[in-house]
Amino acid sequence: MKNAFKIAYGLARDGKTDKTGTPRKIDHLGVLLALGEMKLPGWQGLFESVLLWIGKRADKKGVTALLRKEYVKNIVCCLADAQPQNINQKTLKIDSCFKT
């Protein structure tokens, strides 16, 4: 579910959603529903099975992998390697962090 939120915020940040935050590409919407294990409320629930099918099809085409690569970035901090001069006590910013 956490990855679905990261992807959704990334799509919105890059302008790939409409004003309400719904992805413009139906493949992206299907992937978000599948990753987030979400349920659509009310009358929209009628379309849920179709969107989940679209999400599974998009996953087979590699759309999920592309979205994860683009928007899900893990940051690993090596606290054992961090020296006291590299740590800013106010913000707890550690300069020895790197992306994986």
Side-chain angles (χ1 to χ4, degrees), residues 3-42:
N3 289 341
F5 284 121
K6 288 180 181 182
I7 292 170
Y9 278 103
L11 289 171
R13 182 186 62 236
D14 291 346
K16 296 180 180 179
T17 61
D18 63 11
K19 291 179 183 178
T20 64
T22 304
R24 290 192 176 129
K25 290 187 176 182
I26 194 140
D27 285 352
H28 293 173
L29 180 58
V31 167
L32 287 176
L33 281 173
L35 282 177
E37 301 173 0
M38 299 177 208
K39 299 288 182 192
L40 294 175

Side-chain angles (χ1 to χ4, degrees), residues 23-68:
R24 290 192 176 129
K25 290 187 176 182
I26 194 140
D27 285 352
H28 293 173
L29 180 58
V31 167
L32 287 176
L33 281 173
L35 282 177
E37 301 173 0
M38 299 177 208
K39 299 288 182 192
L40 294 175
W43 62 270
Q44 296 170 344
L46 298 172
F47 301 108
E48 185 175 332
S49 60
V50 174
L51 289 171
L52 287 173
W53 176 79
I54 290 170
K56 288 178 185 177
R57 187 184 64 167
D59 186 43
K60 289 179 183 178
K61 292 189 321 186
V63 174
T64 304
L66 288 173
L67 289 173
R68 280 187 172 152

